Amino acid sequence: MKGNGAIELIAVSKHYGSTIAVKSINLKIPAGAYCCLIGPSGCGKTTTLRMIAGHEVISEGDLLIGNRNVTELPPVKRGTAMMFQNYALFPHMTCMENVAFGLRMQGVAAPERTERAKEMLARVHMEKFADRKPDQLSGGQQQRIALARALITQPSVLLLDEPLSALDPFLRARMRDELRRLQQELGITFVHVTHAQDEALALSDIVVVMEDGVIRQQGTPEEIFNKPRSRFIANFMGGQNIFKGTVSESSPAGTLLGRGPDSFLLPGYGNATTGEDLEFTIRTDLISLGEQAPGDAKNGQIPVEITTVEYLGLWVRIVATTDDGKEITLMKTESEFRQAPVRRKEKFIAYWKPEHAHVLA
Ligand code: ADP
Ligand code: MG
């Protein structure tokens, strides 16, 4: 392995003429971490990945891999390997030849090439398919070969651009497990571009959310999901309702938004300015419906009418609308729903425990 796989981007930018695809991003990925870059289409994920790989020139800033400044180095000198979205397998070569290709380029002798390619095929459970051509394989199998081919040169960093997007949902979940297992077995750094929230949450040690060429938030999946920094992150990652209100009282112990029966309490959130507007989130699974709010939810309640009840199998998704037309989404497990079914047009109090509120920047 070529050094360790720690990656550091220091004020890295990419310009295409007058377009700024990536704007001065700073990112540290520890060696052996699984990092997902996620964000809407066009936010700069692929460009960032390609700059790490060396397939794209860095316009400004520095890139360190394994504490070496590799900004000016060609791809083969960086200790990285890339797996492409369309797999890019050589159609005229067998699986074995495809996997051994990188070693042939390095001038490794035939017996060692075969030996190492066999080992790598076994790692991805494809040893039985060594003599097949890519067009004799399913999508999932082609992907395993592409993975084996990328890993054969023992990179310290594997870069993957939307590796699962061509697979059906069942295979996606299986390959997701497989990627995580491989990454942990090999102990190398994976940087994986995706636009799928579930994928980023399931796979990552570090999730990096991008928008408009900048990093909006980075953290563990739990941090990104439960403590979104902004309205954009909360909406993009999903699973949250966003409420707002005007600060009426604030002390180090907490802040109160609004007055009277519909006031919202933000315990533990101090130092707000009276009159300032604040937004906060409550997870869709942490809101309940009832005739009235229990004592511990008195400062987290709002009257609603049910507008949608959608059966999703394990979950039931409920949309409820407030008097001023705001929609609130609630997710109930099917068994919770069966214990307390609700129907369209019924009126309830939606309530939550104030300590579940998370204030947005
Ligand atoms: P993502 O992978 O997040 O969808 P990209 O990194 O591919 O986004 O693109 C980021 C931005 O850079 C987009 O606005 C895109 O149009 C632009 N861009 C990407 N590649 C080029 C290029 N070769 N020439 C000009 N603009 C480009
Ligand atoms: Mg892309």
Side-chain angles (χ1 to χ4, degrees):
M1 226 160 273
K2 296 172 183 136
N4 78 48
I7 301 173
E8 186 170 359
L9 283 79
I10 306 166
V12 166
S13 297
K14 177 69 191 180
H15 311 269
Y16 294 105
S18 61
T19 309
I20 307 175
V22 173
K23 295 173 205 165
S24 191
I25 63 173
N26 292 292
L27 176 62
K28 274 190 190 183
I29 306 171
Y34 203 121
C35 173
C36 282
L37 304 183
I38 185 166
S41 180
C43 70
K45 307 180 294 294
T46 295
T47 304
T48 301
L49 200 72
R50 289 174 56 82
M51 286 194 289
I52 298 172
H55 296 311
E56 206 70 77
V57 172
I58 294 174
S59 308
E60 279 158 27
D62 285 289
L63 169 66
L64 313 189
I65 298 179
N67 302 318
R68 265 192 322 156
N69 194 321
V70 300
T71 314
E72 309 284 339
L73 293 185
V76 290
K77 298 260 176 75
R78 295 186 178 198
T80 57
M82 183 131 173
M83 195 182 114
F84 297 93
Q85 191 169 357
N86 55 8
Y87 316 142
L89 296 172
F90 301 115
H92 58 286
M93 290 187 191
T94 63
C95 290
M96 171 67 89
E97 290 164 344
N98 262 288
V99 173
F101 182 79
L103 298 178
R104 208 171 95 199
M105 291 293 99
Q106 290 181 348
V108 175
E112 186 186 338
R113 274 194 330 246
T114 310
E115 187 64 25
R116 281 170 62 185
K118 262 192 189 157
E119 210 177 288
M120 197 47 81
L121 282 166
R123 267 205 191 280
V124 297
H125 309 298
M126 287 295 288
E127 58 271 56
K128 286 194 222 115
F129 300 86
D131 298 325
R132 291 222 197 153
K133 298 271 178 64
D135 65 0
Q136 297 168 314
L137 301 176
S138 71
Q141 291 167 338
Q142 286 182 29
Q143 175 154 54
R144 286 166 195 266
I145 298 299
L147 253 180
R149 190 180 61 172
L151 291 169
I152 192 83
T153 55
Q154 299 179 312
S156 49
V157 174
L158 182 67
L159 305 164
L160 310 103
D161 195 355
E162 310 241 2
L164 306 178
S165 59
L167 304 177
D168 64 57
F170 176 74
L171 258 183
R172 279 174 73 145
R174 275 203 31 203
M175 279 309 296
R176 206 164 73 189
D177 295 347
E178 195 86 343
L179 284 175
R180 188 62 171 149
R181 179 186 61 81
L182 262 176
Q183 187 265 338
Q184 282 174 347
E185 277 177 20
L186 297 168
I188 67 177
T189 312
F190 273 33
V191 186
H192 173 142
V193 162
T194 180
H195 59 261
Q197 290 78 0
D198 58 342
E199 211 168 289
L201 294 175
L203 281 167
S204 305
D205 298 306
I206 307 168
V207 181
V208 175
V209 189
M210 295 183 68
E211 186 194 26
D212 284 342
V214 304
I215 293 175
R216 295 290 183 205
Q217 190 172 359
Q218 47 185 299
T220 64
E222 291 83 357
E223 282 163 358
I224 299 285
F225 189 74
N226 287 314
K227 307 239 178 290
R229 187 171 292 159
S230 63
R231 173 174 270 270
F232 164 75
I233 305 275
N235 283 326
F236 183 75
M237 294 309 294
Q240 304 281 3
N241 289 289
I242 302 174
F243 296 90
K244 59 181 162 195
T246 305
V247 175
S248 54
E249 279 173 48
S250 187
S251 75
T255 291
L256 196 67
L257 303 182
R259 295 184 189 280
D262 295 344
S263 58
F264 301 136
L265 182 64
L266 305 172
Y269 187 83
N271 307 319
T273 313
T274 307
E276 153 186 41
D277 287 332
L278 282 183
E279 289 187 312
F280 66 95
T281 60
I282 302 286
R283 269 167 43 170
T284 53
D285 60 333
L286 295 176
I287 299 186
S288 306
L289 295 170
E291 296 300 320
Q292 55 177 32
D296 62 354
K298 281 293 175 223
N299 288 114
Q301 62 167 311
I302 197 163
V304 293
E305 180 177 320
I306 309 296
T307 41
T308 302
V309 177
E310 204 176 49
Y311 179 76
L312 301 173
L314 289 177
W315 293 90
V316 179
R317 178 175 165 273
I318 300 164
V319 180
T321 306
T322 65
D323 293 343
D324 49 10
K326 178 187 162 47
E327 290 193 337
I328 300 173
T329 302
L330 296 85
M331 297 296 280
K332 297 285 136 207
T333 64
E334 192 204 35
S335 53
E336 279 169 346
F337 181 80
R338 261 192 290 163
Q339 280 164 28
V342 300
R343 273 186 299 223
R344 237 172 78 79
K345 302 218 160 150
E346 286 178 341
K347 296 194 176 199
F348 290 101
I349 299 297
Y351 63 85
W352 56 87
K353 292 187 173 166
E355 64 261 34
H356 289 140
H358 162 70
V359 180
L360 297 175

